[in-house]
Amino acid sequence: MIIGIETTAHTFGVGIVDKGKILANEKDAYTTESGGIIPMDAATHHKEVSEKIWKGALEVAGIDEDKIDAIAISQAPGLPPCLAEGMRFAKKKAKELDVPLVPINHCVAHLEIGKIVGAKDPVMLYASGANTQIIAYAEGKYRVFGETLDTGIGNFIDNFARYFDLGFPGGPKVEKLAKEGKYIEVPYTIKGMDVAFSGLLTKLKQLYEKGESKEDLAFSLQETAFATLVEAAERALAHTGKKELLLGGGVGCNARLQEMCKLMCEERGAKFFVPERSLLVDNGAMIAYLGEIMFNAGIRVEDIDNLDIDSRQRTDMVDVRWK
Ligand code: AMP
Ligand code: MG
């Protein structure tokens, strides 16, 4: 039985997995009424809720702490204060329970959890707050085929929402606004399999100052930014010859993005997989899920005092020894 802790950014989550089955997936996310995420405040939030979420997960799973074989911890990448708080908590628990830690790369966990919905060897469109990447497995590593050249898709949407004082997270609010909007022409930026959003953000803000409606801007944002993501993902499918697309990350909750992915897959005869919402957003279950796979492959850290966070670890730096 593996317990997993997610703590890379806004969410503190604890999940419990046993033989590939999710027994619990509890979380508490830091939010704001207006303005964006303040890393130190998010870390303070994590510290305040950690015991409660930990206990809640054990209760939901109906297990005692002594059944736990290892603690999987999101070691990388993310906001340093949030990662550090999670690592501190994980080490404390590991010492109390006398179990090893399994250090997890958060992005890889988003991909591996796709197995639970049937994705075997997918290209993943990882569309989250800070991360936007097209990832697929090739020759011993998860490789990044394309990515954002500036901000993550979610941060870009949140930044747009912040401009209108919609609060954090902005994604669901922008999705709602977009339902009432129509298309205005805005810049479409893609180079190969890389995308960029800062030019689009500037243009959207300028158009708002010129009197265009929030609804039209939200609609145009989604149509344009999501189309670049889907185009990059399609190119990666063509390049790798893979036949599955997996959506991951919080922006993957967006119904329009899901629809566009589905259409593209239908047109090229690929299968489309999207996990349920609780597994798309940052969550402890995916950390525990990958933790169990790695633990079973013999990957664990017993000497936990020497384990540290790695806020800038890239997906392709992970040595995939469990496949
Ligand atoms: P993550 O970092 O993977 O937990 O995802 C968080 C990001 O997902 C934030 O930037 C949110 O604004 C975004 N998000 C959540 N729900 C939606 C949605 N329905 N549409 C677009 N973005 C969303
Ligand atoms: Mg994430």
Side-chain angles (χ1 to χ4, degrees):
M1 193 117 32
I2 306 291
I3 195 160
I5 302 172
E6 159 57 33
T7 168
T8 56
H10 42 71
T11 298
F12 186 88
V14 176
I16 300 175
V17 166
D18 187 24
K19 299 185 193 73
K21 240 187 110 206
I22 296 170
L23 305 183
N25 190 16
E26 297 298 293
K27 69 175 168 71
D28 192 302
Y30 159 93
T31 56
T32 68
E33 286 300 318
S34 69
I37 178 169
I38 300 163
M40 286 307 287
D41 288 358
T44 304
H45 162 269
H46 297 348
K47 188 170 187 165
E48 282 165 8
V49 303
S50 50
E51 275 300 338
K52 187 185 84 196
I53 302 298
W54 173 273
K55 287 206 183 83
L58 288 164
E59 258 175 52
V60 170
I63 62 154
D64 290 329
E65 280 183 338
D66 60 7
K67 291 278 184 301
I68 294 167
D69 297 306
I71 301 174
I73 173 71
S74 57
Q75 176 201 25
L79 300 170
C82 300
L83 290 169
E85 179 50 37
M87 184 59 83
R88 189 195 62 77
F89 183 75
K91 283 183 179 176
K92 187 181 97 182
K93 290 292 180 190
K95 280 184 184 156
E96 279 172 21
L97 302 177
D98 194 23
V99 293
L101 290 176
V102 183
I104 304 286
N105 178 290
H106 173 96
C107 310
V108 174
H110 270 291
L111 202 147
E112 290 278 350
I113 196 69
K115 284 198 183 119
I116 231 166
V117 286
K120 290 187 190 75
D121 182 23
V123 165
M124 174 167 76
L125 170 54
Y126 176 33
S128 86
N131 301 294
T132 300
Q133 296 182 330
I134 316 285
I135 305 169
Y137 184 76
E139 288 165 51
K141 291 225 161 120
Y142 279 115
R143 305 198 185 261
V144 178
F145 285 87
E147 65 188 316
T148 177
L149 298 174
D150 43 38
T151 74
I153 177 80
N155 285 0
F156 152 68
I157 296 175
D158 293 336
N159 191 320
F160 172 83
R162 197 149 68 233
Y163 198 68
F164 299 121
D165 249 345
L166 298 174
F168 173 84
K173 288 158 184 159
V174 169
E175 179 171 22
K176 221 169 140 209
L177 279 175
K179 291 209 166 79
E180 312 294 323
K182 59 178 188 330
Y183 186 72
I184 307 169
E185 197 170 327
V186 287
Y188 182 92
T189 313
I190 182 165
K191 283 206 173 76
M193 287 178 256
D194 292 331
V195 293
F197 304 110
S198 57
L200 175 55
L201 180 62
T202 305
K203 185 68 183 179
L204 289 165
K205 288 178 178 174
Q206 285 170 352
L207 287 169
Y208 184 60
E209 297 308 326
K210 283 192 187 140
E212 297 290 356
S213 78
K214 287 181 193 178
E215 289 79 7
D216 288 355
L217 294 171
F219 180 82
S220 308
L221 174 157
Q222 288 199 165
E223 293 305 303
T224 308
F226 294 167
T228 63
L229 294 180
V230 175
E231 182 179 335
E234 179 167 25
R235 213 161 270 162
L237 283 168
H239 178 78
T240 58
K242 294 190 196 283
K243 299 267 182 300
E244 299 175 343
L245 178 68
L246 171 70
L247 194 52
V251 184
C253 296
N254 189 288
R256 180 59 180 144
L257 178 58
Q258 292 184 8
E259 185 186 15
M260 288 164 87
C261 289
K262 200 162 157 261
L263 275 172
M264 181 272 277
C265 285
E266 275 169 17
E267 280 174 12
R268 58 176 300 117
K271 278 193 192 156
F272 176 52
F273 298 94
V274 53
E276 64 181 72
R277 189 184 172 85
S278 63
L279 298 176
L280 271 176
V281 298
D282 288 353
N283 67 89
M286 69 178 186
I287 303 298
Y289 187 83
L290 175 54
E292 187 179 50
I293 294 172
M294 289 169 63
F295 182 78
N296 288 340
I299 305 165
R300 66 199 67 174
V301 176
E302 309 275 357
D303 177 19
I304 61 176
D305 285 329
N306 285 323
L307 185 66
D308 205 356
I309 60 168
D310 190 353
S311 67
R312 292 181 164 276
Q313 181 184 81
R314 284 180 54 85
T315 305
D316 49 15
M317 285 161 69
V318 178
D319 184 17
V320 185
R321 276 184 284 145
W322 59 88
K323 264 188 171 306

